[in-house]
């Protein structure tokens, strides 16, 4: 029997490719419409569309799932499952009720923690030591469906949202196959979510602004969680700068005031302890060592950013 796959970003690509590698029949791929992006304002397609084109799969890119036509098209395929991996839109009831054995969602957290659009980013920003992937049977709520399988993953000290996301996407693909096989043979049965829930709201560009009143550890986690987008940024001498690599260290300083500059970069005061800026990226330029950024600019210790 066939599978209809919903997905959009790079995170969803391993799941789609693994389904195909396992011999599953993906009869249709539903992904977001092509969007204008980049400085050249070129029309580009989602990563899932690229993978689907390479595999010769049928693709649709509806602006909305609310119309009766989309539900009718999917229903005509009589899918065994609908699989949803970071599609980016809520599936309406008219679609949720179509597949014979349900809609499976691959979600990048240990539900019920971090329901919502940005679980990977918020798990790093909040300084969590562990996260993971959950497969669940979708219902009409936001990531509230019954849990099928879960797998934990350690968040490393040097993880960013990008590196952690890549690991979780691979974990999710493997867990998806185990889930489908388990549903078919009866070894995997849905269990209601239990425990305290939390929400991981979508992150917007403006959310990357650094709050220097927070602790150095919080800012260190914030910088990692905001990579690669939108990036954690501040202004140095009125110049917009994204922080790429930082370290926290004990010490005292005034929040948002440069405590020290040198060959290793610059050290900035925070609400608690100090933040060492090792690598940064000026607006419109490539990432560079903080020490190189300091050269040629009037950046001295004791002055506020």
């Amino acid at each position: 029997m066939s599978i209809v796959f919903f997905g959009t970003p790079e995170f969803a690509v391993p799941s789609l490719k693994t389904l195909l590698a396992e011999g599953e029949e993906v009869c249709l791929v539903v992904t977001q419409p092509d969007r204008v992006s980049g400085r050249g304002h070129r029309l580009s397609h989602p990563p899932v569309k690229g993978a689907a084109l390479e595999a010769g799969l049928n693709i649709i890119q509806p602006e909305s799932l609310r119309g009766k036509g989309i539900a009718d098209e999917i229903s005509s395929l009589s899918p065994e499952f609908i699989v949803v991996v970071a599609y980016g839109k809520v599936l309406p009831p008219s679609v949720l009720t179509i597949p014979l054995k349900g809609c499976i969602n691959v979600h990048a957290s240990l539900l019920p923690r971090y329901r919502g659009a940005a679980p990977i980013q918020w798990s790093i920003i909040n300084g969590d030591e562990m996260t993971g992937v959950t497969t669940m049977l979708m219902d009409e709520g936001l990531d509230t469906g019954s849990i099928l399988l879960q797998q934990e993953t350690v968040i490393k000290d040097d993880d960013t949202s990008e590196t952690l996301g890549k690991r979780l996407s691979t974990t999710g693909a493997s867990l998806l196959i185990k889930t489908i096989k388990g549903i078919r043979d009866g070894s995997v049965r849905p269990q209601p979510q239990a425990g305290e829930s939390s929400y991981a709201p979508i992150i917007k560009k403006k959310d990357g602004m650094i709050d220097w009143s927070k602790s150095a550890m919080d800012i260190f986690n914030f910088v990692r969680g905001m990579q690669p987008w939108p990036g954690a940024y501040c202004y140095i001498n009125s110049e917009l700068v994204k922080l790429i690599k930082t370290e926290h260290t004990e010490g005292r300083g005034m929040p948002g005031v440069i405590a020290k500059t040198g060959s290793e970069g610059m050290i900035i005061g925070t609400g608690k302890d100090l933040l060492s800026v090792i690598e940064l990226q000026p607006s419109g330029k490539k990432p560079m060592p903080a020490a190189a950024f300091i050269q040629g600019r009037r950046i001295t210790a004791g002055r506020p950013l």
Side-chain angles (χ1 to χ4, degrees):
M1 298 183 72
S2 62
I3 293 173
V4 174
F5 185 89
F6 283 71
T8 300
E10 190 65 39
F11 181 87
V13 172
S15 289
L16 176 59
K17 289 186 174 181
T18 301
L19 286 172
L20 298 173
E22 291 289 323
E24 298 290 346
E25 180 191 352
V26 178
C27 60
L28 180 67
V29 171
V30 186
T31 189
Q32 296 275 1
D34 296 355
R35 304 293 187 194
V36 173
S37 64
R39 293 185 181 179
H41 300 288
R42 295 179 180 178
L43 195 66
S44 60
H45 59 243
V48 162
K49 180 180 179 179
L53 288 170
E54 288 180 8
L57 302 176
N58 295 323
I59 306 166
I60 59 172
Q61 297 175 270
E63 286 286 353
S64 172
L65 300 175
R66 296 291 173 181
K68 187 174 181 295
I70 297 298
D72 288 346
E73 181 173 357
I74 296 173
S75 183
S76 70
L77 300 171
S78 300
E80 180 184 17
F81 296 103
I82 285 178
V83 170
V84 181
V85 187
Y87 174 60
K89 291 183 179 180
V90 175
L91 271 60
S94 59
V95 174
L96 289 172
T97 56
I98 291 173
L100 178 64
K101 296 182 180 177
C103 295
I104 301 172
N105 178 237
V106 178
H107 186 76
S109 79
L110 298 174
L111 291 171
R113 295 203 71 189
Y114 298 120
R115 294 170 176 167
I120 298 172
Q121 291 92 329
W122 286 108
S123 67
I124 295 177
I125 292 170
N126 290 337
D128 293 355
E129 295 180 355
M130 298 287 297
T131 186
V133 176
T134 301
T135 53
M136 69 174 179
L137 277 181
M138 298 176 68
D139 59 18
E140 294 182 36
L142 180 63
D143 300 325
T144 56
S146 295
I147 290 172
L148 296 166
L149 291 175
Q150 291 186 317
Q151 185 169 332
E152 293 184 341
T153 300
V154 172
I155 300 178
K156 301 176 183 178
D157 288 342
D158 60 350
D159 264 329
T160 65
S161 292
E162 183 173 32
T163 61
L164 180 58
K166 287 180 179 178
R167 288 208 312 281
L168 291 177
S169 69
T170 302
T171 300
S174 175
L175 202 65
L176 172 61
I177 297 301
K178 292 178 182 177
T179 299
I180 289 174
K181 291 180 177 180
I183 291 174
R184 286 173 177 158
D185 66 21
S187 62
V188 172
R189 297 183 180 182
Q191 301 292 328
Q193 294 187 27
E196 186 177 353
S197 65
S198 61
Y199 181 56
I202 190 170
I203 290 175
K204 301 177 181 179
K205 189 173 182 178
K206 64 180 179 63
D207 296 329
M209 184 73 174
I210 296 170
D211 180 357
W212 292 102
S213 69
K214 293 188 175 182
S215 72
M217 177 61 81
D218 285 344
I219 297 172
F220 169 73
N221 291 331
F222 183 79
V223 169
R224 296 187 299 125
M226 287 290 172
Q227 286 188 46
W229 192 92
Y233 66 89
C234 64
Y235 290 87
I236 302 177
N237 282 0
S238 301
E239 183 177 2
L240 177 63
V241 174
K242 290 183 179 180
L243 303 192
I244 305 299
K245 184 177 181 181
T246 64
E247 291 180 354
H248 63 279
T249 183
E250 293 183 354
R252 298 180 64 180
M254 293 292 292
V257 174
I258 299 172
K260 183 180 178 181
T261 62
S263 59
E264 295 183 357
M266 59 181 150
I267 297 175
I268 302 172
T270 72
K272 180 183 178 181
D273 294 327
L274 300 167
L275 189 78
S276 177
V277 180
I278 300 168
E279 186 178 2
L280 49 72
Q281 182 178 11
S283 181
K285 299 181 180 179
K286 295 181 179 180
M288 64 173 65
F293 175 80
I294 292 170
Q295 293 179 358
R297 291 174 171 86
R298 295 180 179 179
I299 298 174
T300 56
R303 64 168 296 163
L305 296 177

